[in-house]
Amino acid sequence: MKDLVRLHTSLTEEIEAALNDQCKMEAEASLKYLAMAAWLDRNGFDYSAGYLYAQAEEEREHFLKIFKYITEVGGVAITPTPNEVQQEFGSLRDVFETALQGEIAVTHSINRIVAKCRELNDYATEEFMMWYVREQREEEHNARRVMELFELIDANSSTGRFVLDEEISKVGRRVS
Amino acid sequence: MTNQAINSNELYRVPKGCSWQCDLTNRVYIQFQETVAAFRLRDFFAFHRKVSAIDIHEMIYNLSDDFDFEIIEAPQQGVSLQLGLCELVQLRDLLDGTKFALKLNSMLHEALGTVSLV
């Protein structure tokens, strides 16, 4: 009797579900960044708005990368239905604190998938997910660097906010 | 029992139907009441998900006539069934059992390596 399941896909049901959940999380992250960028835009923070518009695009690429991987290995990629995202924020700092919290949540989720891959001996997906592990290290680093800027520059003055707006947009682009 | 079920690899059986795997066509056959349909594995899993997603509790507790029956469709396989609560539970049982048997077979293949399973 043939092993039809293995002929059809190398993914276990658990990993397929976890990857589809991650797709949804990445798609939601993209929409959250979009909402943040729009808030920044309408409050005069042009540079950091541009920075988060780019982040939104990047998150969408992350979503598509997983989505295509699921199909590539014979699984069923489910188009996610994102939940409602936060549209209003209290301040510039509030926006980037929310962004950092979001990145930390994504990192935890990716770590859980890698752990699950090891448990189920799915080395191909583990190897695929290592790209995300590296990416999250960079994303968290950038988000923390933005929070550091709030310690260095006074966000309570209009000049400070103007400088912060410019400096935030340069995060991740500096040559170290 | 149909001839196909005798000659192929039976996966699961409930009072109203049975399922089997055809190794020639790599299809999973579901026979339920008078309906027989052949599914590719991906389509079978999608069909299973669709049937599993039906809210049985709503059918039990909602007194509206709309919740007495559920229409189950798998257009690619030409399946269109109108099922009451008991039939739906039976179909769900058949699909769950079939899925379990498929996964068990896969696990045995993995555990036993290249040993051919009869």
Side-chain angles (χ1 to χ4, degrees), chain A residues 89-130:
Chain A
F89 300 88
S91 62
L92 183 63
R93 188 190 177 102
D94 185 25
V95 169
F96 286 94
E97 251 178 19
T98 309
L100 174 58
Q101 280 164 1
E103 290 298 346
I104 292 168
V106 170
T107 303
H108 286 324
S109 177
I110 283 166
N111 288 346
R112 280 195 293 273
I113 295 177
V114 173
K116 182 63 73 183
C117 289
R118 288 183 182 176
E119 188 190 325
L120 299 174
N121 299 334
D122 187 345
Y123 304 116
T125 306
E126 182 189 331
E127 195 269 336
F128 169 74
M129 290 307 294
M130 291 318 283

Side-chain angles (χ1 to χ4, degrees), chain A residues 30 78 149 156 173:
Chain A
S30 174
I78 297 167
L149 290 177
N156 293 318
R173 285 195 282 127

Side-chain angles (χ1 to χ4, degrees), chain B residues 16-51:
Chain B
K16 291 207 175 203
C18 66
S19 62
W20 65 92
Q21 166 180 325
C22 175
D23 281 352
L24 285 176
T25 58
N26 290 353
R27 296 286 193 275
V28 173
Y29 281 79
I30 303 290
Q31 181 231 317
F32 188 73
Q33 296 173 329
E34 304 305 312
T35 307
V36 180
F39 292 84
R40 287 187 315 161
L41 205 71
R42 184 173 296 183
D43 298 330
F44 168 75
F45 284 136
F47 186 62
H48 176 264
R49 261 198 302 275
K50 189 188 285 185
V51 174

Side-chain angles (χ1 to χ4, degrees), chain B residues 12 27 31 43 59 64 72 80-81 96 106 110 112 115:
Chain B
Y12 201 69
R27 296 286 193 275
Q31 181 231 317
D43 298 330
M59 288 181 79
S64 162
I72 313 279
S80 181
L81 300 166
D96 285 345
S106 185
E110 190 179 344
L112 301 175
V115 176

